[in-house]
Amino acid sequence: MYKDITIEEALKISNACYIDLRSEIEYDEDTLPGAVNLPLFNSEERARIGTLFKNEGEERAKQLGLELAGPKLKDLYLEIKERSKNKVPVIFCWRGGMRSQFVAAVLSSLGVNFVRIIGGYKSYRRWVFNYLNQEELPHKAVVLHGLTGVGKTHVLEKLEKKGAPVLDLEGLACNRGSVFGNINMPPSPGQKKFESLIVDKLETFAPSKYFIVECEGKRLGNLLVPQVITKKINSGYKILLYAKLSTRVNRIIEDYTVGLNHNIKELQISTTRLAKRLGWKKVEEINLLLEEENFTEAFSYLLTFYYDPLYKYPQQPDENYNLCVECEDLDQAAEEIYQHIKKLPGYNDVRNRR
């Protein structure tokens, strides 16, 4: 009623319902794209089994596992049936061991048609690692450059809605890449999940052979951007975005001060991290401006005397870029970029396959 398949075969199933049988902690760290978590043992139970295995041996650990799993089997069976309607159930645990073997035996005895991944999540992690450590990605990168606040992230969002192959690294990392990077953002994923999200995106871009990305450094917060991605960014097709200082300041105000009490405390904490660059006196002055909600003056100073000199991008068209686009109107800018990249050799719009 079932068969074991490789991770490569599993990822090619277009109507797969990936069932992650691992504990919540394991699932939260990383899992297959789109997988649902139906743990055979929760985190506490898994820890108990592990401790018993260490202290009293495999047989006692198996007995406890049976005791804990038995009462759950009916609900697990019904949940898998419900989740996988009109789809192929694909079950896996950490390394294709006892958890998935046990569930496979139960489902098979109940007449469920499904497949099981050989090597479990560990084989998927190895596949992601190999993907990101290949010598060269098959894609070409279209890279958006520009000063802070010019609207690169907003342009990416608009391009994605048009069907363009957008790799929003800041969105995947939940970090905007500046000292204010985590404000108004959900918690960042771990490194493993970040890498899995990147690979999943790149796989959907295969028909296009392109991805559109913002120019990023080696880090986004605490996360490392894979070297194969930074290599593509450094050699990519360069598009410069530019806008007036006043426009950029207004966009930063819109992005960072929408929230409880305008995020003033968070902004002040972040600004304090610039003390080594700006000096304590200037940081105190900026934080006072933030306290007074004088955001225009505070952000104007930070752009003019910190971020603009740091990134050194032109503020007008420049011949060193393949395309230069004014971003006073972001809808118009996104449309101009979209029409331009559609003419690149081999470019095709892509849609998510899942």
Side-chain angles (χ1 to χ4, degrees):
M1 304 297 290
Y2 82 95
K3 67 175 181 177
D4 289 338
I5 62 174
T6 65
I7 185 63
E8 290 81 8
E9 292 172 319
L11 292 171
K12 290 178 181 177
I13 299 175
S14 60
N15 62 335
C17 176
Y18 300 115
I19 306 293
D20 190 339
L21 300 170
R22 300 175 303 153
S23 66
E24 308 96 309
I25 290 178
E26 294 170 289
Y27 174 83
D28 289 341
E29 183 182 23
D30 187 33
T31 190
L32 272 68
V36 295
N37 189 209
L38 300 178
L40 183 62
F41 305 117
N42 62 33
S43 300
E44 180 183 349
E45 290 169 341
R46 178 170 173 263
R48 286 177 59 195
I49 293 171
T51 300
L52 193 62
F53 180 88
K54 182 179 179 180
N55 295 335
E56 300 186 32
E58 181 178 357
E59 189 59 34
R60 284 288 294 119
K62 286 182 179 179
Q63 292 174 16
L64 177 59
L66 288 172
E67 292 173 13
L68 295 172
K72 302 179 183 182
L73 292 180
K74 177 183 176 181
D75 289 341
L76 183 63
Y77 162 73
L78 293 174
E79 188 72 17
I80 291 175
K81 290 280 287 183
E82 178 64 27
R83 294 275 192 168
S84 59
K85 282 183 178 178
N86 303 316
K87 294 183 178 181
V88 177
V90 182
I91 69 170
F92 64 96
C93 57
W94 181 55
R95 57 180 179 183
M98 293 190 65
R99 282 179 285 185
S100 63
Q101 290 174 8
F102 179 72
V103 172
V106 173
L107 294 179
S108 183
S109 69
L110 294 172
V112 179
N113 294 312
F114 65 98
V115 295
R116 188 179 75 102
I117 297 176
I118 300 169
Y121 164 77
K122 194 173 181 181
S123 67
Y124 171 69
R125 179 60 194 162
R126 189 182 305 112
W127 181 81
V128 170
F129 178 85
N130 291 337
Y131 190 107
L132 294 175
N133 281 274
Q134 57 187 309
E135 186 66 27
E136 187 79 23
L137 288 175
H139 313 74
K140 298 177 182 178
V142 175
V143 187
L144 304 187
H145 299 259
L147 293 169
T148 302
V150 77
K152 298 184 290 293
T153 297
H154 297 298
V155 168
L156 285 178
E157 292 170 352
K158 294 177 184 297
L159 288 171
E160 189 167 30
K161 289 179 180 179
K162 294 175 183 290
V166 169
L167 181 63
D168 182 4
L169 291 173
E170 292 185 359
L172 298 181
C174 298
N175 189 297
R176 293 190 180 95
S178 71
V179 72
F180 303 111
N182 289 119
I183 295 176
N184 283 340
M185 297 290 277
S188 292
Q191 184 68 33
K192 290 180 180 179
K193 180 170 285 189
F194 180 52
E195 293 173 359
S196 291
L197 293 171
I198 290 173
V199 172
D200 184 45
K201 278 287 188 180
L202 291 175
E203 279 288 277
T204 68
F205 302 158
S208 174
K209 298 298 184 184
Y210 282 90
F211 64 87
I212 306 167
V213 66
E214 180 179 342
C215 186
E216 302 289 357
K218 296 179 180 180
R219 283 185 174 273
L220 280 169
N222 294 323
L223 299 174
L224 291 173
V225 178
Q227 289 186 2
V228 71
I229 300 295
T230 57
K231 181 179 178 181
K232 284 294 183 180
I233 288 175
N234 293 336
S235 62
Y237 189 90
K238 298 166 65 177
I239 297 180
L240 175 69
L241 310 185
Y242 62 94
K244 294 184 296 188
L245 175 64
S246 58
T247 301
R248 294 191 289 126
V249 168
N250 288 335
R251 285 185 183 142
I252 290 174
I253 292 173
E254 291 175 6
D255 287 341
Y256 290 107
T257 66
V258 175
L260 184 64
N261 298 321
H262 300 296
N263 301 317
I264 288 174
K265 292 301 180 184
E266 292 87 347
L267 289 167
Q268 289 174 324
I269 291 170
S270 297
T271 302
T272 301
R273 298 186 188 126
L274 299 175
K276 287 185 178 180
R277 299 288 188 93
L278 302 178
W280 281 106
K281 182 178 180 181
K282 180 53 65 176
V283 165
E284 289 173 358
E285 292 175 6
I286 295 171
N287 279 342
L288 180 59
L289 292 172
L290 294 172
E291 186 72 36
E292 296 170 347
E293 299 187 15
N294 188 346
F295 301 122
T296 299
E297 188 174 346
F299 289 128
S300 294
Y301 183 91
L302 286 170
L303 289 184
T304 303
F305 296 101
Y306 179 69
Y307 283 107
D308 289 2
L310 178 65
Y311 294 113
K312 300 178 182 178
Y313 284 120
Q315 301 187 50
Q316 63 281 317
D318 188 286
E319 62 182 9
N320 293 311
Y321 294 84
N322 300 102
L323 176 69
C324 299
V325 180
E326 183 183 73
C327 286
E328 296 299 325
D329 184 322
L330 290 176
D331 288 320
Q332 183 176 319
E335 181 62 20
E336 181 179 346
I337 293 170
Y338 182 59
Q339 293 302 325
H340 183 85
I341 62 176
K342 282 171 63 176
K343 299 174 184 177
L344 295 176
Y347 176 87
N348 288 294
D349 281 346
V350 294
R351 299 291 177 181
N352 200 308
R353 295 178 299 175
R354 294 189 177 90

